Amino acid sequence: MHMENLLINILFVLLPILFFQIFYINTDSKYKRVSLAAVFSISIIICMNFPITNYEGHYFDFRYVPYVLGALYGGKKVAITLYFVILAYRFYLGGVGFYIAVFDSTILLFILLLVLLPKYQAYSLKTKISSMMVLLALVNIISLFLCHSLFGFILHAPTVLLVSFVIAQAVTIGLSVYFIEYLKAMDTMKKQLYHNEKLKSLSEMAASISHEVRNPLTVTRGFIQLLKSPDIDEEKKNNYLDLSLRELDRAESIITDYLTFAKPHEDVELELINVIDEMNYVANVMQPYALMQSVSITKEFFTSESYILGTKKHFHQCFINLAKNAIEAMPNGGKLVFKIDQENRMTTIELIDTGIGMTTEQIERLGVPFFTNKEKGTGLGTMVAFSIVKAMKGEINVNSKLNEGTTFTISIPECVKNDAT
């Protein structure tokens, strides 16, 4: 047995398997079966062109391995195509072995079409491998005995050659079936993971929308409860109604933002934001919710004016999220301080609460989706706040001690009003 040609046969049996992975599994072309038939035909021809040995006109090669594999994974049309390829090229090569090739190929074709193809995909992996190994071994053994019966010389070949030839083909097709089934299983798993990832993204998006819309609805509910007070004056009533309408508009804006989340945001127009005015707005919006939780809000502004570039609705969304989290971190009441200062052309905004605090590990995980310290939270509010600050080229630092409170420090580059205009 020529080892070099044996390796060539094995190589050109394995090459169609590589093709199967790259071009057959991963594409949806309507010419998949045509290309599969072409590749397995090339494999068959090369195997026949480099026989392991040629004993008195009988070619020992691995032609039936790609033939069977192409039929099993390409279907009936591929099987018939490969059948005629084998016969045509074997006729071209000539010799007495042609008639044995006709017999072997025809027997295999009938077994494939009538027995294996209708049920093959339902077999277990173990059954697929073992049945293919037995099939090819039996066909080769029958072929050898038939050849001896007709021509009377084939069994005079060395026993080691005949046994090695039968075993080598059986092992090769067993390994080939295993590799192809492995590739198919990996592809199925990849598609399932992709599907699960899409479902997960959809779930996260739904949870995020729910979380973000709940904030303005909670605030609006607080204002409506205050409106039920019998001693409320007309000015406060109008103010609460105005704030409620603005919060409902914000909820609508959030929904619109998430519906267009997948679209590019290069066209978002930045505006000059008066930090003092907008933080006053955030404090006013959160006041009713804070009162409901027995939390007092204090403002400490150490600058008369401060401007940054951003969008007001995102600025509100960021700091309302952080303020709401701070209030909810004080279940027994407490104090929330808003601080604003300027230093080195940076505007610094601090939210200081006297709540339950966080551990170092909890601080490090802030901003990660679905990480939260609240029983019914999603962690998406903090994640959105972090992403908004980052979009404004800012930074967030968090200091916290258990049972003492937490300080969020947001630093955003200052924008001079005259420069912005």
Side-chain angles (χ1 to χ4, degrees):
M1 183 177 289
H2 296 90
M3 184 59 66
E4 182 181 340
N5 284 2
L6 172 64
L7 294 175
I8 290 175
N9 272 245
I10 293 174
L11 172 64
F12 283 96
V13 166
L14 294 177
L15 278 179
I17 298 176
L18 177 63
F19 173 88
F20 189 85
Q21 161 69 9
I22 299 173
F23 299 103
Y24 190 80
I25 291 181
N26 294 328
T27 61
D28 295 319
S29 171
K30 61 181 179 180
Y31 302 109
K32 284 170 66 171
R33 297 191 186 282
V34 174
S35 58
L36 197 64
V39 171
F40 277 109
S41 296
I42 293 170
S43 177
I44 288 170
I45 292 170
I46 292 174
C47 287
M48 295 172 70
N49 215 43
F50 294 92
I52 298 168
T53 189
N54 177 3
Y55 189 81
E56 299 185 26
H58 189 87
Y59 290 90
F60 290 83
D61 57 59
F62 281 18
R63 77 189 79 159
Y64 294 131
V65 177
Y67 173 36
V68 172
L69 291 175
L72 292 175
Y73 295 99
K76 293 181 179 180
K77 292 182 179 179
V78 175
I80 294 170
T81 301
L82 297 179
Y83 169 74
F84 285 109
V85 168
I86 287 178
L87 296 188
Y89 197 71
R90 187 63 188 83
F91 179 78
Y92 166 77
L93 292 176
V96 295
F98 169 73
Y99 302 102
I100 303 300
V102 172
F103 175 79
D104 297 344
S105 302
T106 304
I107 289 295
L108 272 174
L109 182 65
F110 277 106
I111 293 174
L112 288 167
L113 295 182
L114 301 178
V115 179
L116 290 174
L117 286 180
K119 301 178 181 179
Y120 181 74
Q121 297 304 327
Y123 294 161
S124 66
L125 176 60
K126 185 177 179 180
T127 303
K128 288 178 180 178
I129 294 173
S130 59
S131 60
M132 291 308 101
M133 292 179 70
V134 169
L135 172 65
L136 222 55
L138 286 176
V139 167
N140 278 297
I141 291 171
I142 293 171
S143 174
L144 292 173
F145 277 102
L146 180 63
C147 187
H148 178 71
S149 300
L150 292 176
F151 306 109
F153 58 77
I154 196 66
L155 291 184
H156 298 156
T159 304
V160 174
L161 169 65
L162 301 178
V163 173
S164 300
F165 175 69
V166 172
I167 293 175
Q169 277 201 84
V171 170
T172 301
I173 196 167
L175 290 173
S176 299
V177 168
Y178 173 79
F179 289 145
I180 291 177
E181 291 297 322
Y182 175 80
L183 293 174
K184 288 179 64 181
M186 289 299 100
D187 180 67
T188 302
M189 187 181 297
K190 183 178 71 174
K191 289 177 179 177
Q192 186 62 44
L193 286 173
Y194 177 71
H195 178 69
N196 291 342
E197 205 55 42
K198 289 177 70 175
L199 290 178
K200 181 182 176 185
S201 298
L202 182 62
S203 175
E204 288 180 1
M205 180 67 75
S208 183
I209 294 173
S210 172
H211 177 276
E212 293 303 320
V213 171
R214 190 179 290 117
N215 282 347
L217 293 181
T218 301
V219 172
T220 302
R221 186 176 187 277
F223 284 131
I224 292 173
Q225 283 184 322
L226 290 174
L227 287 170
K228 292 172 66 177
S229 301
D231 55 345
I232 186 172
D233 59 51
E234 193 66 24
E235 184 181 351
K236 284 187 177 180
K237 179 180 178 181
N238 290 332
N239 186 40
Y240 290 161
L241 286 172
D242 183 55
L243 288 171
S244 297
L245 289 172
R246 290 178 66 179
E247 283 302 291
L248 290 175
D249 289 339
R250 190 166 73 86
E252 182 184 8
S253 175
I254 289 168
I255 293 173
T256 302
D257 283 347
Y258 276 102
L259 290 175
T260 58
F261 185 75
K263 296 181 181 179
H265 294 277
E266 289 83 359
D267 57 345
V268 173
E269 188 173 341
L270 299 178
E271 57 186 318
L272 194 65
I273 296 176
N274 186 324
V275 177
I276 305 297
D277 289 349
E278 303 314 320
M279 286 305 295
N280 276 322
Y281 171 80
V282 171
N284 290 337
V285 165
M286 297 309 301
Q287 189 68 46
Y289 188 62
L291 290 175
M292 290 169 57
Q293 305 294 326
S294 302
V295 173
S296 64
I297 294 179
T298 304
K299 294 179 288 185
E300 297 181 6
F301 299 164
F302 297 102
T303 179
S304 57
E305 63 176 21
S306 177
Y307 295 91
I308 61 172
L309 281 178
T311 57
K312 288 183 180 179
K313 63 180 180 181
H314 289 149
F315 185 92
H316 296 161
Q317 189 177 357
C318 170
F319 287 97
I320 287 174
N321 278 340
L322 294 178
K324 184 172 180 289
N325 287 343
I327 292 170
E328 290 172 350
M330 296 179 278
N332 300 318
K335 181 179 180 181
L336 175 60
V337 180
F338 291 163
K339 282 188 178 182
I340 301 177
D341 204 350
Q342 288 177 300
E343 187 177 356
N344 299 325
R345 295 186 63 84
M346 297 291 289
T347 296
T348 302
I349 305 169
E350 289 184 303
L351 278 71
I352 306 167
D353 68 61
T354 57
I356 57 176
M358 292 180 287
T359 64
T360 303
E361 181 184 358
Q362 289 172 327
I363 293 174
E364 290 175 352
R365 296 185 64 188
L366 285 174
V368 176
F370 300 106
F371 171 76
T372 177
N373 297 320
K374 297 181 286 186
E375 290 183 7
K376 297 183 179 180
T378 63
L380 291 165
T382 308
M383 181 197 73
V384 170
F386 273 59
S387 63
I388 290 173
V389 171
K390 184 178 180 181
M392 292 189 292
K393 301 183 177 3
E395 294 182 356
I396 294 184
N397 292 307
V398 184
N399 292 310
S400 185
K401 289 184 179 180
L402 285 175
N403 302 317
E404 291 187 19
T406 302
T407 300
F408 277 80
T409 304
I410 297 92
S411 301
I412 303 173
E414 180 188 0
C415 180
V416 179
K417 189 174 181 180
N418 293 334
D419 292 345
T421 57

